[in-house]
């Protein structure tokens, strides 16, 4: 374990390799989810032709994943409080494995839909647990980067799904789409065993009163004994124990495994917890209300409406979406701990508004023209890529980083579960209604609608989301206390200017 310089809080200025490796392995579960999302955009073209299903059945197939993910996320919160963060990731991988096998078999629409439903439950587990685990195992200085790894893995998964579409699409109709969907079983199987090599979250161990195990884990994921002791002391205080106790095990509170958490979150929240819940629900709502699922899942249809005709070119244009998404997520991971969550979010949302306005305009021009407009086709593709870039440099990673770090320790898993449930609900709503929406108000009109929603999102983020950059998890609740937000905004702006 390498000793490095620390700041006044005892936090290392360098990343701990063990913490980083653990976060990477935990985040790999999100690659499978990303792959399922990306591969379905192209697979739907072949499934519709092979199984002879209509647009309504395609919408259900696309959206049912997120309906089931909503249910999965609600179960995942309580599950992770009961069996731990690490074993919840194992459960998620097993669920993905079963779903992938069923979809790969897929002799008919009902079996395919059942496999998609099972995978959806796995998605709910993965999206709740991966950011929470990464946030709880990382230091305050590295938390933004490590907590954004799940979103990076989703992007890599989506890109691999698009590439899979292109290559498996060259096989026979009956074999190609089944291999696209079934191949996800392989990483799911491998991941079950890889996860067992990871440490448990020290904060979950502390909540269970297993303070000795928590301290030993912290010694592995911290770069100095001083940092480990400080973080262990913070965990003891957050869990309601004497901060100076040296006991290996202390009997935990009655709600250490998630009992009574829903009452504290929904029925009798403190003012700070109420503001935290509003922030978490709001950011998850707007992540999908701005229309990203329309672009990711229905990319080929958008490019077809814009004037791209052949299947190969449609799939290649969609691969471009995956590449742009991955590049800008990588850029975001390097910026999120330096620029801050709030500033990155506002810049991102501003760009989304502009890109959606241009996309709505160009698609409207294409749709109302009797001749092929090359400039409008080009503008549609460029604005789609710009939208994906702006979305992934801010709103995509910040949603998961922010919501995984703002809840108090005992409320974190189930609070995050509520956020993920809202996220999946909006995802399902867009997935299952986008075709109907653009048929009712035109495809250009649909993106003008998303543009208007994005403007509302910008104001929500500006007024209700304080900066959390560099704050220990145990101190973040105070940011949402009345009167602290204005001071926090000013402090962050001053720090940013002083840091250049």
């Amino acid at each position: 374990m390498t000793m490095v310089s620390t700041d006044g809080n005892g936090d290392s200025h360098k990343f701990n390799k063990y913490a980083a490796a653990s976060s990477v392995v935990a985040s790999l579960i999100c690659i499978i989810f990303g792959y399922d999302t990306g591969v379905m955009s192209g697979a739907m073209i072949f499934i519709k032709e092979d199984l002879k299903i209509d647009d309504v059945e395609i919408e259900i197939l696309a959206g049912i994943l997120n309906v089931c993910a909503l249910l999965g996320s609600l179960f995942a919160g309580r599950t992770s409080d009961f069996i731990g963060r690490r074993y919840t990731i194992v459960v998620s991988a097993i669920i993905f494995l079963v779903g992938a096998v069923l979809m790969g078999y897929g002799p008919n629409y009902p079996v395919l839909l059942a496999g998609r439903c099972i995978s959806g439950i796995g998605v709910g587990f993965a999206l709740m647990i991966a950011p929470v685990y990464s946030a709880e195992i990382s230091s305050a200085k590295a938390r933004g980067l490590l907590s954004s790894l799940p979103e990076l893995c989703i992007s890599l998964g989506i890109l691999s799904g698009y590439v899979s579409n292109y290559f498996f699409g060259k096989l026979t109709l009956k074999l190609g789409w089944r291999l696209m969907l079934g191949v996800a079983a392989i990483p799911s199987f491998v991941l079950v065993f890889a996860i067992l090599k990871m440490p448990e979250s020290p904060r979950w161990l502390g909540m269970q009163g297993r303070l000795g195990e928590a301290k030993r884990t912290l010694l592995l994921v911290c770069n100095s004994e001083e940092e480990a002791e400080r973080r262990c002391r913070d965990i003891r205080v957050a869990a309601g124990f004497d901060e100076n106790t040296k006991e290996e095990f202390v009997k935990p509170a009655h709600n250490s495994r998630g009992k009574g958490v829903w009452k504290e979150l929904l029925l009798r929240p403190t003012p700070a917890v109420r503001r935290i819940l509003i922030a978490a629900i709001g950011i998850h709502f707007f992540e999908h209300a701005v229309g990203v699922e329309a672009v990711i899942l229905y990319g080929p249809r958008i490019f077809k409406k814009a004037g791209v005709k052949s299947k190969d070119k449609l799939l290649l244009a969609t691969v471009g979406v995956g590449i742009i998404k991955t590049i800008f997520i990588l850029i975001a991971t390097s910026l999120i701990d330096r620029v801050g969550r709030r500033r990155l979010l506002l810049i991102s949302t501003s760009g989304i508004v502009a890109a959606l306005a241009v996309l709505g305009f160009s698609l409207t021009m294409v749709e109302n023209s009797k001749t092929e407009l090359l400039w409008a086709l080009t503008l549609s593709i460029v604005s789609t890529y710009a939208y994906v870039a702006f979305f992934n440099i801010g709103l995509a990673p910040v949603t998961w980083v922010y919501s995984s770090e703002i809840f108090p320790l005992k409320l974190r898993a189930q609070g995050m579960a509520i956020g993920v449930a809202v996220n999946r609900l909006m995802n399902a709503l867009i997935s299952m209604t986008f075709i109907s929406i653009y048929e009712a108000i035109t495809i250009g009109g649909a993106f003008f609608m998303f543009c208007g929603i994005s403007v509302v999102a910008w104001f929500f983020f500006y007024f209700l989301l304080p900066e959390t950059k560099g704050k220990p998890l145990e101190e973040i609740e105070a940011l949402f206390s009345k009167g602290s937000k204005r001071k926090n905004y000013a402090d962050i702006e001053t720090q940013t200017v002083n840091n250049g």
Side-chain angles (χ1 to χ4, degrees):
M1 182 168 62
T2 305
M3 297 292 289
V4 294
S5 63
T6 61
D7 61 17
N9 291 327
D11 280 338
S12 164
H13 290 302
K14 294 184 179 179
F15 296 131
N16 179 280
K17 292 179 180 178
Y18 193 85
S22 297
S23 294
V24 167
V25 174
S27 300
L28 289 178
I29 191 71
C30 292
I31 285 186
I32 305 169
F33 159 55
Y35 179 85
D36 270 356
T37 299
V39 81
M40 187 55 76
S41 69
M44 287 190 297
I45 299 171
F46 305 101
I47 291 169
K48 184 175 182 180
E49 185 180 345
D50 186 22
L51 300 183
K52 306 293 187 294
I53 57 179
D54 58 28
D55 276 348
V56 173
E57 289 171 308
I58 284 291
E59 281 185 320
I60 292 171
L61 185 64
I64 199 70
L65 181 92
N66 294 298
V67 173
C68 295
L70 188 159
L71 299 173
S73 66
L74 293 175
F75 282 112
R78 183 66 184 271
T79 301
S80 72
D81 278 343
F82 192 78
I83 66 173
R85 314 313 195 207
R86 182 175 61 155
Y87 286 113
T88 302
I89 302 174
V90 172
V91 171
S92 178
I94 292 171
I95 295 170
F96 271 126
L97 174 63
V98 174
V101 169
L102 271 179
M103 286 192 292
Y105 170 55
N108 52 49
Y109 183 74
V111 172
L112 179 62
L113 196 62
R116 186 84 166 150
C117 284
I118 291 171
S119 291
I121 294 171
V123 167
F125 271 74
L127 289 179
M128 193 291 298
I129 196 59
V132 167
Y133 179 87
S134 296
E136 290 189 344
I137 206 163
S138 57
S139 68
K141 294 292 183 184
R143 192 174 63 241
L145 187 151
L146 297 183
S147 298
S148 63
L149 287 178
E151 185 64 32
L152 173 61
C153 287
I154 290 172
S155 297
L156 291 171
I158 288 172
L159 177 58
S160 62
Y162 290 158
V163 172
S164 172
N165 285 156
Y166 183 73
F167 287 105
F168 285 131
K170 297 180 183 298
L171 301 177
T172 62
L173 180 62
K174 289 189 177 297
L175 180 62
W177 68 263
R178 288 180 171 87
L179 281 177
M180 291 177 195
L181 300 176
V183 75
I186 298 171
S188 303
F189 180 77
V190 173
L191 199 55
V192 169
F193 298 97
I195 291 165
L196 295 176
K197 300 292 184 182
M198 293 160 37
E200 182 52 85
S201 158
R203 286 179 166 92
W204 181 81
L205 290 170
M207 195 163 60
Q208 308 310 309
R210 293 156 63 176
L211 303 180
E213 291 176 66
K215 179 66 179 290
R216 287 188 287 275
T217 299
L218 286 169
L219 287 170
L220 292 172
V221 301
C222 295
N223 281 317
S224 70
E225 194 167 331
E226 178 190 2
E227 181 190 349
E229 177 53 39
R230 184 187 60 77
R231 287 174 65 183
C232 193
R233 188 168 58 249
D234 288 344
I235 290 169
R236 288 195 290 263
V237 171
F241 303 128
D242 179 358
E243 65 177 289
N244 297 312
T245 184
K246 301 298 180 184
E247 297 291 330
E248 283 277 314
F249 177 80
V250 178
K251 187 176 180 181
H254 71 281
N255 65 344
S256 68
R257 292 184 181 268
K259 294 179 181 178
V261 167
W262 291 111
K263 289 181 181 178
E264 292 187 53
L265 275 171
L266 301 175
L267 300 181
R268 294 192 299 273
T270 64
V273 168
R274 186 182 299 112
R275 293 186 187 101
I276 288 170
L277 190 61
I278 290 169
I281 289 173
I283 197 170
H284 278 284
F285 172 86
F286 283 116
E287 187 192 18
H288 288 284
V290 300
V292 66
E293 205 63 19
V295 173
I296 298 299
L297 199 54
Y298 293 106
R301 283 181 180 249
I302 294 169
F303 294 129
K304 189 173 183 179
K305 283 280 186 182
V308 180
K309 302 300 182 187
S310 75
K311 280 185 183 178
D312 267 7
K313 287 180 180 178
L314 284 172
L315 294 176
L316 276 176
T318 308
V319 169
V321 170
I323 292 171
I324 295 290
K325 180 174 175 61
T326 304
I327 289 171
F328 279 85
I329 281 286
L330 280 168
I331 294 171
T333 59
S334 69
L335 293 176
I336 198 165
D337 282 319
R338 289 189 291 143
V339 176
R341 286 66 154 148
R342 176 179 160 81
R343 179 171 287 187
L344 212 53
L345 197 58
L346 295 174
I347 292 169
S348 167
T349 311
S350 299
I352 287 170
V353 170
L356 284 171
V358 175
L359 181 57
F361 168 74
S362 57
L363 287 172
T364 299
M365 294 303 294
V366 168
E367 201 161 32
N368 292 328
S369 175
K370 294 180 181 178
T371 59
E372 186 173 303
L373 298 177
L374 183 59
W375 67 267
L377 165 61
T378 304
L379 195 59
S380 296
I381 295 173
V382 170
S383 57
T384 298
Y385 288 168
Y387 170 84
V388 172
F390 277 112
F391 180 83
N392 286 283
I393 204 168
L395 185 52
V398 172
T399 295
W400 300 96
V401 172
Y402 199 85
S403 57
S404 69
E405 65 187 5
I406 58 176
F407 286 99
L409 176 58
K410 63 182 177 179
L411 306 181
R412 186 169 299 130
Q414 295 187 53
M416 181 67 172
I418 293 173
V420 174
V422 171
N423 188 285
R424 293 301 92 191
L425 177 63
M426 291 307 301
N427 193 311
L429 192 62
I430 301 299
S431 301
M432 299 175 81
T433 61
F434 179 65
I435 295 175
S436 302
I437 289 171
Y438 82 61
E439 286 178 348
I441 64 173
T442 74
I443 193 163
F447 285 104
F448 281 131
M449 179 189 75
F450 292 136
C451 180
I453 294 171
S454 301
V455 172
V456 177
W458 192 93
F459 283 101
F460 179 89
F461 301 149
Y462 183 82
F463 287 108
L464 295 177
L465 272 62
E467 182 58 79
T468 58
K469 181 185 76 169
K471 297 285 185 182
L473 288 178
E474 288 73 24
E475 294 179 12
I476 289 177
E477 183 180 359
L479 299 179
F480 289 86
S481 297
K482 193 172 183 179
S484 69
K485 288 190 283 185
R486 186 181 300 275
K487 179 179 182 296
N488 179 59
Y489 297 158
D491 288 348
I492 291 299
E493 294 298 325
T494 301
Q495 289 170 17
T496 303
V497 170
N498 291 341
N499 291 336

